[in-house]
Amino acid sequence: MTDTVDAAELVANTELVASPTPAPIAFTFGDPEPVLDGRDLAGYFQSLWNGSYYEPPVSFDGLAKALVSNPHHESALRCKTNILASCFRPHKLLPRANFKRLVFDYLVFGNAFLEREQNWLGGALGLRPTLARWTRARKDGACMMMIEGQEHDFAPGSVLHLMDPDVSQEIYGLPGYLAALQSALLNEAATLFRRKYYRNGSHAGFILYMTDAAQNHQDIDKLREALRAAKGPGNFRNLFMYAPNGKADGLKVIPVAEVGAKDEFLSIKNVTRDDVLAAHRVPPQLLGIIPNNTGGFGDAGKAAAVFARNELRPLMDVFTDINAWVGDEVVAFDPYVVDVDPVLAK
């Protein structure tokens, strides 16, 4: 009869009693683990009060670091930011540079904070975004920002909080690309693995397997020194082995690179790229991606028009809510039109 033993229990059980007739053991590794270790997703994404401010549902530091983990992830976010900034009409209270930072914070963190600087009469002197990575919400609805480990409180009512809504809490927003973040990190892991694989020379490595008894020890030492000298930079070198009276299979070369060739590097890169672009909903032809098929991605102009209506227009509507808060039309956009700039065409 076969006993089924969990792998963790088998590892913990360090004292094994020998049996004259060992019974067969079947190993089980438990059920597949979900992304969040079986915890409820809604219960994980919530804002906790730490006694001073509400903690974000996800690490803003982690989102900032993940920005550079994948080229398609960062490129898609910057593509939206640059297009919105190019369509924005600068205002004396909100320059284009401040608006661009506000948009980038909103897309990366799902949250953007805009501070209104007031004069002594209560009028607005200017609008500037606070760094969303370090800005937090308090219980009274006010906001604070962490500056060099110190809490800096903003004046009540001086900060507007724009957020991408979350279904589990209303304190902070969440970016819409979280579902593809694992794919972005997998893309990075595949790239780092391949980079280390090439740096340590495994792509050109091999095992020299010798069983020929016709060789003396001095010949083996010379061969070992030649192999050691060929390691590192310039490892693409040729070796000559002279084996008099040797057997046909007395010396074998077993390539190590065959193991690394089976990791489907290109497949992983392409699949994770598609996941990231699907989450950002940015047409690949707008990011300079070369199509793999002969038909291509289609007309870039038509793709840009659909992208502008389905993605850019809703984002513009989010930032026009600033006008009601300020009491003036400080946010306005020119239509997004794909045409040839006469200055660039010269």
Side-chain angles (χ1 to χ4, degrees):
M1 183 175 181
T2 302
D3 297 329
T4 301
V5 180
D6 187 77
E9 179 182 354
L10 184 62
V11 173
N13 194 6
T14 57
E15 296 183 2
L16 300 178
V17 180
S19 175
T21 56
I25 298 177
F27 293 90
T28 61
F29 294 93
D31 296 330
E33 293 293 337
V35 176
L36 299 177
D37 292 334
R39 288 175 290 182
D40 180 55
L41 186 65
Y44 181 79
F45 289 152
Q46 59 178 321
S47 299
L48 300 178
W49 175 254
N50 64 6
S52 180
Y53 55 86
Y54 285 103
E55 294 284 355
V58 295
S59 171
F60 284 179
D61 286 344
L63 294 179
K65 294 176 181 178
L67 180 64
V68 295
S69 65
N70 177 261
H72 310 104
H73 173 51
E74 183 180 14
S75 179
L77 293 174
R78 292 193 180 275
C79 176
K80 293 181 180 180
T81 302
N82 291 336
I83 294 177
L84 286 179
S86 67
C87 296
F88 175 71
R89 300 174 188 171
H91 192 274
K92 62 180 181 179
L93 297 178
L94 185 61
R96 191 188 304 273
N98 288 357
F99 177 76
K100 187 174 182 179
R101 172 174 287 279
L102 186 71
V103 173
F104 198 51
D105 276 354
Y106 181 83
L107 294 177
V108 173
F109 302 103
N111 298 269
F113 300 88
L114 187 64
E115 181 186 10
R116 177 171 51 194
E117 298 176 310
Q118 297 179 340
N119 56 26
W120 64 279
L121 293 177
L125 287 176
L127 300 172
R128 64 174 184 178
T130 69
L131 295 178
R133 182 175 180 177
W134 312 112
T135 306
R136 301 293 183 265
R138 294 193 185 274
K139 272 190 175 181
D140 57 359
C143 294
M144 53 81 63
M145 187 167 67
M146 303 292 296
I147 301 178
E148 296 181 352
Q150 302 294 325
E151 298 181 3
H152 168 72
D153 286 307
F154 296 103
S158 64
V159 176
L160 174 65
H161 184 187
L162 300 174
M163 68 177 71
D164 200 354
D166 176 30
V167 298
S168 300
Q169 46 82 37
E170 71 281 359
I171 306 299
Y172 296 100
L174 285 180
Y177 60 78
L178 284 180
L181 198 56
Q182 295 289 355
S183 294
L185 297 178
L186 176 60
N187 190 297
E188 179 196 30
T191 302
L192 291 177
F193 172 80
R194 180 62 59 146
R195 183 167 176 261
K196 294 177 181 178
Y197 175 72
Y198 273 90
R199 286 188 62 186
N200 64 21
S202 294
H203 60 290
F206 59 87
I207 298 174
L208 189 63
Y209 180 65
M210 177 182 290
T211 60
D212 196 344
Q215 307 304 318
N216 57 48
H217 198 273
Q218 292 180 353
D219 293 335
I220 296 176
D221 289 339
K222 292 180 180 179
L223 182 60
R224 183 184 295 111
E225 291 299 326
L227 290 173
R228 184 180 293 111
K231 186 178 180 181
N235 52 4
F236 292 98
R237 300 176 182 177
N238 297 322
L239 294 175
F240 173 73
M241 177 63 185
Y242 175 57
N245 301 323
K247 299 179 181 179
D249 295 331
L251 186 67
K252 291 183 179 180
V253 175
I254 305 176
V256 179
E258 290 181 358
V259 178
K262 299 178 181 179
D263 62 352
E264 298 181 353
F265 174 71
L266 293 179
S267 177
I268 294 175
K269 296 287 289 185
N270 292 335
V271 170
T272 53
R273 178 200 66 188
D274 294 344
D275 288 346
V276 171
L277 294 185
H280 290 296
R281 297 177 298 277
V282 178
Q285 55 265 55
L286 300 185
L287 300 181
I289 296 178
I290 301 175
N292 296 326
N293 57 345
T294 57
F297 292 124
D299 189 353
K302 295 180 180 178
V306 175
F307 173 67
R309 178 61 187 89
N310 293 349
E311 291 297 319
L312 300 183
R313 185 73 258 175
L315 282 175
M316 292 178 180
D317 294 339
V318 170
F319 295 101
T320 53
D321 291 342
I322 299 175
N323 297 335
W325 179 65
V326 178
D328 190 9
E329 190 179 11
V330 297
V331 177
F333 298 95
D334 293 325
Y336 175 52
V337 179
V338 180
D339 56 2
V340 178
D341 193 326
V343 177
L344 299 178
K346 294 181 181 180

